[in-house]
Amino acid sequence: MKPSHIEHIGIAVKSLEEAIPFYEKVLGLECYAIEEVVDQKVKTAFFKVGDTKIELLESTDPEGPIGKFVAKTGGGMHHLAFAVEDVQEALNDVQEAGCQVIDKAPRGGAEGLKIGFLHPKSTMRVLTELCGEK
């Protein structure tokens, strides 16, 4: 597996309505998409910085992963996502290298991408996402 670039940095927030103005008015970025990912119990907002995106994540369910994360930490950096050509192949590669995964097979994510997460126990405590077109 060889990532091509950092696809996005995921930041958990209590409220998109409160967070978006900071990124737009203070940092001068433009929110180009807001999307709900129902099966992940999250609403997302995206900003582009060069070739990398910032993904803000607001929970739609307090029992969902982002809801629990925000309740525990107050929010902040949630995950780092790398772009890969083939998510299933990349998940297979990292497992062969001894890495524990959360997803053994890709699932649907925001912006129509396929995604798979690596367990923080195997990634020096950084929740890591692999994402791609296939």
Side-chain angles (χ1 to χ4, degrees):
M1 176 192 78
K2 185 170 183 178
S4 60
H5 62 281
I6 294 174
E7 210 286 332
H8 67 269
I9 298 167
I11 300 173
V13 299
K14 292 179 184 177
S15 163
L16 291 181
E17 188 177 322
E18 292 176 12
I20 289 171
F22 169 78
Y23 287 86
E24 290 184 329
K25 293 177 181 162
V26 176
L27 297 180
L29 301 175
E30 180 184 342
C31 178
Y32 70 85
I34 296 176
E35 173 184 355
E36 185 171 346
V37 185
V38 176
D39 66 319
Q40 294 180 32
K41 301 175 183 175
V42 71
K43 191 171 171 186
T44 64
F46 283 96
F47 302 83
K48 195 125 175 152
V49 183
D51 290 334
T52 304
K53 294 179 251 178
I54 302 292
E55 177 188 35
L56 301 182
L57 304 132
E58 175 189 329
S59 180
T60 58
D61 180 343
E63 293 304 311
I66 297 301
K68 290 178 181 177
F69 180 83
V70 170
K72 182 178 178 181
T73 67
M77 185 167 158
H78 182 260
H79 66 271
L80 181 60
F82 292 96
V84 296
E85 189 173 318
D86 184 318
V87 178
Q88 183 64 68
E89 185 177 300
L91 288 169
N92 293 344
D93 289 349
V94 297
Q95 287 178 90
E96 287 175 20
C99 185
Q100 184 180 353
V101 297
I102 293 171
D103 300 299
K104 291 188 184 286
R107 56 184 158 126
E111 298 193 303
L113 293 174
K114 298 290 182 195
I115 64 169
F117 282 92
L118 311 184
H119 201 286
K121 289 179 181 177
S122 295
T123 60
M124 284 135 300
R125 309 226 23 96
V126 176
L127 182 60
T128 303
E129 180 182 4
L130 304 175
C131 48
E133 301 289 324
K134 59 180 185 166

